Amino acid sequence: MAAAAAAGRTILAPNAELSAALFDALERAHRDAGDEIWPTPRIFDLSSWLREQHLQQQLTGRNSARLLSDIEERELWRNVVEGAALGRDFLDPAGAARAARRARRTLSEYNIPLQALERERSDEAAAFLGWNRAFEARCLELNCISADTLLADALPADAQSPSGAVDWIENPLWRPAARRWLERHGRMLLPEDAGAGAVSVFKAHAAADELAAMADWARRESSDERFRAWICVPDLNRRRAEIIDAFDAALAPQRFALGASGAAGYAVAGGTPLADYAPVRVALELLQASVGSVPFAQFSMLLRAPQLQGSDAEAGSVARLDVALRRRASSEADLTTWLDLAERVARSEELGTSPGVQRLRSAQQQLSQLQGAHRFSEWGVVWIAALETAPWAFRARWSSTEYQAAERLRELLATLASGDAVFGTHGRESAQRILRRALRETQFQAQTGVPRIWVSGQILDPFLNYDGLWVGNCSDEQWPPPTAPVALLPVRLQRQYGVVAAGADAQLAHARELQNRWQKRANHCVFSYADSAEGGLSSPSPLLPKSAPLAAAPTAAPQPHWHAMFESAPELQSFWDELAAPYPAGELARGVATLRAQSRCAFRGFAEARLDAQPLERPIPGFNERERGEIVHHALEHIWSVLRDATALAALHPIEQGRLLNAAAVYALEIVRKRRDPGKKWREREQARLLNLLGKWLDVERARAAFSVESLETNDQVASFAGLNFRVRIDRVDRLADGARVLLDYKTGAASADWRGERPDNPQLPIYALLRPDALVAVAYAKVNAAESGFVAESERSRIFPRSHDTKLEGMASFADLVNVWSRRLERIAGEFAAGHAEVAPTNKACNSCHLQGLCRVPAALEEADESHE
Ligand code: SF4
């Protein structure tokens, strides 16, 4: 092979993975020999070489037909299948297009004549033949050819032989058509047998153990710097993440350290969809956001995308803008509306101008320059300009992989642009759909060279010799592999023409052949298998050599990446820190919410009031629960500011009531709408719901003992406990006929007597009582909700509220005595807050309604403790 390359001959391999390995081997040989300069070896996979040959023919005018790119071919098949009536019923169009393309390739690779297929009478064959005719007609119309015709068309067998220049490696992977052509026109290069090396068999108890053992073997052996291994995991595509995890744990544990980088010393063949790489993902997000209505979650993700932020300070500022937007945003809007809102909110919250928002605005303006239907050559120019303005503005800080992924996207856009004749014109949405599909279907892997440990997913003869070779999945059920005929083509026909995967006998012979070759390719060859995940015991494939010894008992256990981090973590010291600095005297604490949180759990009080650990709002369609509560409060405030007492309520005529409730609903909705407007449709729905709810509520109030309203939604008052001041707003104060007072708090959700006990779940009513203790005989939640309206009260008198009795006042003789008890409790709770008490000590049900589990981690720890006791 080295001599052929040195003579400038072209060397052909059956696929790209093998050609890359051959290229690397030749380059390495030159370096090992101390060469400083050498001609680049001409090594290609057959398909790339044929494309190159076709291009040469076009340049010399010998062939005018244009070769379809991969994307063009996929889209053409898709159009053909979607446009055909026949066969639509039994496959989804995308799957059918893929299957049809593969079937056509198989016909050409195995020299199966179309006439043979025409003689078959299956629905699948008929559907395929129809699609194939339509595909060929489209190719003719466009003066294009597909890659599967290159071998026959670009270099027909009777043309002048290029055998003087072409060598090919002997390999079972060649399909019959290619092999025949190569035998006629090229010179075969045989592999160099290493001689039968040692063989062993390894059994694992689980698939994860099998991977861990492979990785550990590679780690141990590669302590010798010259060691090179080829490892085959046949189901690599399905288990890619697990494989990387296992090999990283053994060969690149540094990858799990924060900020660490560096070569891994191994590589996994194949790639992942280009659409998954960060610069491509954010490019797609921008393009998608530029069309139609965008949900808030999508806009928020784009706004906060790290690629859009020029610095950490910008990222922090945009995160604050996002929090503020969540309180004001509707659930969906177009990108222009989102950007307008973001600028308004940034101004009103005094966050300053956001460069990220401006970049998005510029990108969006560039995108909107092109309207209507256009060719990809036009769309591509606009897209690239927009990407460079916004998400690709900071390319200088990209990693090599990110840079390569973005370059691949540019190449792909250039490919789309060169296919204008095939694709025609498309509107923005349709063009973006095709681009998205192409990015998902294009596999990408950053160029890293061929390291010493190579993990392949292809069951093939690696041709080159290695120090070690390991093949997994060799149980009796997996080796030889089960048959997997090509869809749409009759199995009988496939067997007749030698499609290996179509027949059990062919698979068996192929497996024997490969196994024989593997044993000649390495000094040490390991075959492994694992018990099934369902707990079933597996047996080795009967093909494995009976005399092979079992490999040494594994020392490796599966090492998910957290395991490596755990192992390398330093020893930790425990330090209880439950006391924060005292709350600054004279500073206004937030209000009732602070004391409520502190009473439920000291850590919760500290985190919510002093760390400002608040849950993020999530804009939903319509009004959220908090807004609905506010609307009811405003509406009732309006109603009682008009009625003022029970007598006016009793005299209210139904028509007047309707007008009053309507006015109250309009008033309340207008207040909330000014801050966040979910739209007319939702306002109308809310208004109808509100009228019904308020009508029911007035019926509840009609059944009360006579009262008049003394005050409504008092402006913020200040309550002082333990030297701290808290803001308080009482919903309503009523006077009874004898002048006694009743304090009310509206609740639109569930409500219970949660103010009782040393650490009340909600000390809100006691706080009200301490602000207005004069002549006080009752406090109550007014439960205004559609499911159940009524009062939940603490009262020293019966029948103040419908069907109510006096309550036990927690054992106190009078309401005034109870208020004294509440005063002591609140002083203590506020005192703990003021002193900085922050111990994680929840009351019985406090964790159920708490959003801080991720911060305190107590519920998770309790669950773990429960499980360990079971
Ligand atoms: S989840 Fe429970 S323990 Fe943790 S802060 Fe909330 S109430 Fe306290």
Side-chain angles (χ1 to χ4, degrees), residues 614-860:
Q614 301 297 331
L616 279 181
E617 293 210 16
R618 186 178 302 172
I620 56 166
F623 293 100
N624 62 33
E625 227 171 278
R626 180 178 48 73
E627 289 164 338
R628 285 178 160 190
E630 284 174 26
I631 291 169
V632 169
H633 274 72
H634 292 310
L636 286 169
E637 183 193 358
H638 179 83
I639 290 169
W640 287 112
S641 66
V642 174
L643 291 178
R644 302 303 315 182
D645 58 28
T647 314
L649 174 62
L652 191 65
H653 188 275
I655 294 177
E656 283 172 28
Q657 176 169 320
R659 278 198 208 107
L660 177 63
L661 297 192
N662 205 43
V666 170
Y667 165 79
L669 283 165
E670 184 58 21
I671 294 175
V672 174
R673 184 192 75 85
K674 276 187 189 150
R675 196 175 61 238
R676 191 181 84 92
D677 186 4
K680 187 164 177 271
K681 178 182 79 179
W682 291 103
R683 287 202 305 276
E684 285 171 356
R685 278 193 198 178
E686 191 59 28
Q687 183 162 351
R689 190 190 76 87
L690 197 57
L691 292 179
N692 178 37
L693 182 65
L694 294 174
K696 280 188 185 164
W697 178 248
L698 288 190
D699 289 343
V700 173
E701 296 251 24
R702 280 190 180 97
R704 282 181 56 187
F707 65 90
S708 62
V709 176
E710 184 180 64
S711 64
L712 286 165
E713 304 278 347
T714 54
N715 286 336
D716 283 355
Q717 293 178 291
V718 174
S720 295
F721 302 106
L724 296 185
N725 295 328
F726 298 86
R727 274 193 308 264
V728 179
R729 172 178 289 211
I730 301 174
D731 287 349
R732 188 167 140 194
V733 182
D734 284 358
R735 285 272 195 175
L736 302 181
D738 64 353
R741 277 201 178 91
V742 170
L743 302 180
L744 297 179
D745 184 67
Y746 296 124
K747 289 272 180 270
T748 49
S752 61
D754 53 9
W755 54 81
R756 294 178 184 144
E758 280 307 304
R759 286 178 62 187
D761 203 41
N762 187 1
Q764 185 176 12
L765 290 178
I767 294 171
Y768 288 1
L770 286 161
L771 262 182
R772 303 292 293 271
D774 300 341
L776 192 61
V777 293
V779 292
Y781 290 141
K783 216 166 38 158
V784 190
N785 74 47
E788 190 190 5
S789 287
F791 292 91
V792 181
E794 191 79 68
S795 166
E796 70 175 18
R797 292 187 191 175
S798 300
R799 298 195 177 76
I800 295 179
F801 303 110
R803 294 185 297 279
S804 74
H805 303 282
D806 49 349
T807 54
K808 292 183 180 156
L809 305 178
E810 295 194 51
M812 298 298 116
S814 68
F815 210 89
D817 289 349
L818 179 61
V819 170
N820 284 336
V821 171
W822 284 348
S823 170
R824 278 198 302 279
R825 265 179 210 159
L826 282 164
E827 282 293 325
R828 180 180 45 74
I829 295 168
E832 287 173 3
F833 175 75
H837 281 244
E839 62 269 23
V840 178
T843 53
N844 228 353
K845 294 181 184 161
C847 300
N848 297 347
S849 62
C850 184
H851 62 98
L852 294 169
Q853 282 96 340
L855 192 59
C856 73
R857 302 184 184 188
V858 163

Side-chain angles (χ1 to χ4, degrees), residues 296-617:
F296 175 79
Q298 195 184 330
F299 173 70
S300 163
M301 203 156 66
L302 184 59
L303 184 68
R304 290 177 291 114
Q307 290 85 355
L308 274 171
Q309 321 307 332
S311 63
D312 287 351
E314 272 186 31
S317 161
V318 96
R320 279 192 291 279
L321 174 58
D322 180 70
V323 171
L325 265 176
R326 285 163 185 270
R327 291 193 290 267
R328 307 267 296 270
S330 55
S331 60
E332 287 204 6
D334 63 35
L335 186 57
T336 308
T337 308
W338 280 131
L339 293 171
D340 291 346
L341 181 66
E343 281 177 355
R344 272 204 310 279
V345 171
R347 269 197 305 275
S348 68
E349 301 275 329
E350 297 179 357
L351 294 170
T353 51
S354 164
V357 173
Q358 288 172 342
R359 279 180 209 113
L360 274 180
R361 168 94 65 198
S362 310
Q364 193 238 5
Q365 281 164 353
Q366 270 161 330
L367 287 173
S368 57
Q369 278 170 11
L370 205 59
Q371 301 291 340
H374 294 273
R375 294 174 181 276
F376 272 104
S377 50
E378 295 165 278
W379 283 119
V381 173
V382 173
W383 288 341
I384 286 290
L387 294 182
E388 288 183 347
T389 304
W392 291 5
F394 302 104
R395 296 189 288 286
R397 63 187 189 204
W398 280 355
S399 69
S400 159
T401 302
E402 288 172 326
Y403 189 79
Q404 289 181 47
E407 282 306 297
R408 184 73 189 89
L409 171 53
R410 281 178 200 272
E411 283 169 26
L412 201 132
L413 286 176
T415 308
L416 283 172
S418 68
D420 278 350
V422 175
F423 292 116
T425 59
H426 288 270
R428 181 193 298 272
E429 236 176 308
S430 157
Q432 288 184 190
R433 214 172 18 249
I434 292 174
L435 174 68
R436 211 166 33 245
R437 219 159 34 221
L439 291 170
R440 283 206 201 105
E441 287 171 355
T442 301
Q443 300 293 308
F444 171 75
Q445 187 172 34
Q447 301 259 340
T448 54
V450 180
R452 293 194 290 138
I453 310 295
W454 182 256
V455 185
S456 173
Q458 300 202 44
I459 306 177
L460 50 71
D461 171 9
F463 188 79
L464 297 169
N465 290 332
Y466 290 85
D467 301 296
L469 188 146
W470 186 309
V471 181
N473 293 17
C474 288
S475 71
D476 56 349
E477 288 185 1
Q478 295 166 304
W479 185 245
T483 54
V486 177
L488 299 176
L489 301 180
V491 175
R492 191 192 55 72
L493 201 63
Q494 294 184 46
R495 288 185 184 150
Q496 184 187 337
Y497 282 86
V499 177
V500 174
D505 290 346
Q507 286 279 53
L508 177 64
H510 186 63
R512 280 209 171 100
E513 163 83 14
L514 276 179
Q515 205 174 293
N516 193 23
R517 286 169 177 255
W518 286 333
Q519 290 174 43
K520 293 177 184 165
R521 298 283 171 267
N523 301 331
H524 183 198
C525 193
V526 185
F527 298 104
S528 65
Y529 64 100
D531 288 336
S532 76
E534 293 76 37
L537 295 177
S538 295
S539 304
S541 163
L543 291 188
L544 298 184
K546 304 277 178 297
S547 56
L550 278 180
T555 52
Q559 297 184 50
H561 72 262
W562 60 263
H563 197 271
M565 294 170 81
F566 183 73
E567 290 291 304
S568 60
E571 197 182 328
L572 297 179
Q573 290 180 322
S574 277
F575 176 63
W576 285 103
D577 182 12
E578 297 182 331
L579 200 61
Y583 198 84
E587 199 167 310
L588 192 65
R590 274 177 51 234
V592 172
T594 300
L595 291 174
R596 182 165 51 217
Q598 184 76 21
S599 178
R600 289 174 178 180
C601 169
F603 180 75
R604 186 166 171 177
F606 167 73
E608 286 187 1
R610 300 188 62 183
L611 302 183
D612 203 14
Q614 301 297 331
L616 279 181
E617 293 210 16

Side-chain angles (χ1 to χ4, degrees), residues 76-382:
L76 218 54
W77 272 112
R78 212 183 154 94
N79 291 344
V80 159
V81 170
E82 281 175 350
L86 192 63
R88 264 196 220 163
D89 305 337
F90 59 87
L91 281 173
D92 73 287
R98 271 195 302 276
R101 190 174 171 217
R102 178 155 182 238
R104 182 180 158 94
R105 215 168 43 222
T106 305
L107 292 183
S108 125
E109 287 174 349
Y110 288 85
N111 284 326
I112 305 175
L114 273 178
Q115 293 81 345
L117 194 58
E118 277 159 5
R119 285 194 289 274
E120 299 290 334
R121 299 194 182 283
S122 72
D123 289 348
E124 288 89 345
F128 169 72
L129 285 167
W131 294 333
N132 193 47
R133 273 192 297 276
F135 178 78
E136 289 191 338
R138 280 294 287 145
C139 286
L140 206 62
E141 226 176 281
L142 296 163
N143 189 27
C144 287
I145 55 167
S146 56
D148 54 77
T149 64
L150 282 179
L151 194 64
D153 288 356
L155 284 164
D158 56 355
Q160 195 183 354
S161 166
S163 60
V166 176
D167 287 353
W168 55 286
I169 62 163
E170 194 279 335
N171 201 282
L173 209 56
W174 292 113
R175 302 288 189 249
R179 179 177 282 274
R180 199 165 306 156
W181 188 92
L182 290 165
E183 281 168 355
R184 192 174 303 166
H185 298 289
R187 197 180 67 176
M188 184 166 69
L189 298 175
L190 288 168
E192 190 184 343
D193 289 347
V199 177
S200 46
V201 174
F202 172 77
K203 176 184 174 164
H205 294 300
D209 293 354
E210 189 183 7
L211 288 182
M214 280 177 192
D216 196 53
W217 170 79
R219 180 187 60 76
R220 274 185 281 116
E221 298 290 341
S222 54
S223 58
D224 173 356
E225 282 181 8
R226 298 181 64 83
F227 179 81
R228 301 188 71 82
W230 184 78
I231 296 174
C232 175
V233 185
D235 51 354
L236 181 146
N237 281 343
R238 197 171 53 79
R239 300 173 65 199
R240 193 176 187 86
E242 288 168 64
I243 291 168
I244 291 175
D245 215 32
F247 277 78
D248 272 356
L251 291 162
Q254 76 277 5
R255 280 191 171 179
F256 304 126
L258 279 179
S261 58
Y266 81 95
V268 178
T272 47
L274 183 57
D276 292 348
Y277 288 79
V280 181
R281 200 171 51 231
V282 73
L284 281 178
E285 278 164 13
L286 171 69
L287 295 181
Q288 196 169 352
S290 70
V291 182
S293 191
V294 184
F296 175 79
Q298 195 184 330
F299 173 70
S300 163
M301 203 156 66
L302 184 59
L303 184 68
R304 290 177 291 114
Q307 290 85 355
L308 274 171
Q309 321 307 332
S311 63
D312 287 351
E314 272 186 31
S317 161
V318 96
R320 279 192 291 279
L321 174 58
D322 180 70
V323 171
L325 265 176
R326 285 163 185 270
R327 291 193 290 267
R328 307 267 296 270
S330 55
S331 60
E332 287 204 6
D334 63 35
L335 186 57
T336 308
T337 308
W338 280 131
L339 293 171
D340 291 346
L341 181 66
E343 281 177 355
R344 272 204 310 279
V345 171
R347 269 197 305 275
S348 68
E349 301 275 329
E350 297 179 357
L351 294 170
T353 51
S354 164
V357 173
Q358 288 172 342
R359 279 180 209 113
L360 274 180
R361 168 94 65 198
S362 310
Q364 193 238 5
Q365 281 164 353
Q366 270 161 330
L367 287 173
S368 57
Q369 278 170 11
L370 205 59
Q371 301 291 340
H374 294 273
R375 294 174 181 276
F376 272 104
S377 50
E378 295 165 278
W379 283 119
V381 173
V382 173

